[in-house]
């Protein structure tokens, strides 16, 4: 079986479903089957979950209808930065680190935290800066290639072609 981007009827690529979206899709399908008087065991087989999950879903459906099985907004503490502030941070980071007074054009968590504080007046911990970069901005860790400034690739190629075979053969 091959995996790839989903295709709609028109041939356009659709993004894959996230785990919460996939779970909700299963529950919606289960509701359709509940309304068709299908057994819990059959629903579990069709939807691809355990029978206990179907029994739990059926109890919730009987108590609150289909809306009881819909996905709810995430609970917990709201993020410190709203969407507009995140876009302000994105624009500031895309200018590069040197535009913000840093010597090298590399971003570190500390540097990003300073820029976030300058442009939004919100102080974030290192962990929160990491979640901002990887989660909300879609950035990933990039390590700079360690290479000597004095490196001369043509001289290395000459040495490998001429000197190394002579040394390898011996005296």
């Amino acid at each position: 079986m091959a995996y790839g981007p989903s295709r709609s009827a028109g041939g356009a690529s659709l993004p894959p479903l996230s785990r919460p979206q996939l779970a909700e899709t299963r529950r919606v399908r289960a509701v359709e089957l509940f309304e068709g008087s299908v057994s819990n065991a059959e629903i579990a087989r069709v939807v691809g979950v355990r029978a206990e999950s179907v029994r739990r879903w059926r109890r919730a459906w009987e108590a609150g209808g289909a809306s009881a099985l819909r996905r709810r907004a995430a609970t917990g503490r709201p993020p410190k930065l709203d969407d507009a502030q995140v876009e302000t941070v994105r624009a500031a980071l895309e200018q590069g680190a040197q535009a913000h007074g840093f010597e090298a054009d590399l971003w570190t968590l500390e540097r990003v935290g300073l820029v976030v504080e300058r442009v939004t007046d919100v102080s974030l911990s290192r962990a929160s800066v990491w979640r901002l970069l990887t989660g909300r901005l879609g950035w990933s860790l990039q390590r700079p290639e360690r290479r000597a400034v004095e490196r001369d690739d043509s001289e290395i190629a000459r040495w490998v072609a001429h000197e190394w075979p002579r040394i390898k053969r011996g005296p």
Side-chain angles (χ1 to χ4, degrees):
M1 176 177 277
Y3 294 93
S6 302
R7 300 269 179 209
S8 68
S13 179
L14 297 175
L17 293 178
S18 67
R19 285 186 73 178
Q21 290 170 328
L22 182 59
E24 183 178 29
T25 301
R26 287 179 170 154
R27 291 190 304 269
V28 167
R29 178 71 178 123
V31 166
E32 293 169 359
L33 296 171
F34 292 155
E35 292 167 349
S37 302
V38 179
S39 72
N40 287 351
E42 181 63 17
I43 293 172
R45 190 188 63 71
V46 169
V47 177
V49 297
R50 304 186 112 204
E52 178 55 36
S53 296
V54 175
R55 286 192 291 274
R56 190 176 59 250
W57 295 347
R58 188 180 291 269
R59 283 192 302 270
W61 173 69
E62 288 170 347
S67 62
L69 295 176
R70 290 281 181 198
R71 207 164 39 133
R72 293 184 227 357
T75 60
R77 183 180 181 146
K80 286 185 175 183
L81 299 177
D82 61 28
D83 291 340
Q85 289 172 312
V86 170
E87 288 309 311
T88 302
V89 169
R90 178 190 309 273
L93 295 178
E94 286 175 350
Q95 293 172 356
Q98 289 178 328
H100 293 279
F102 299 109
E103 189 174 312
D105 209 13
L106 294 173
W107 286 116
T108 64
L109 294 177
E110 290 79 12
R111 288 178 177 187
V112 172
L114 287 170
V115 171
V116 168
E117 196 165 354
R118 285 180 198 158
V119 300
T120 66
D121 290 327
V122 174
S123 179
L124 297 178
S125 68
R126 283 175 49 105
S128 295
V129 170
W130 176 256
R131 282 191 300 274
L132 169 69
L133 288 173
T134 59
R136 297 184 74 186
L137 293 177
W139 286 29
S140 63
L141 177 64
Q142 304 289 314
R143 295 193 188 270
E145 206 174 282
R146 301 246 181 237
R147 185 174 277 199
V149 175
E150 302 86 9
R151 181 181 173 106
D152 183 357
D153 288 329
S154 62
E155 178 58 25
I156 293 171
R158 186 204 62 75
W159 188 89
V160 168
H162 300 289
E163 299 297 324
W164 175 242
R166 184 182 57 77
I167 295 170
K168 189 174 176 183
R169 271 181 274 157

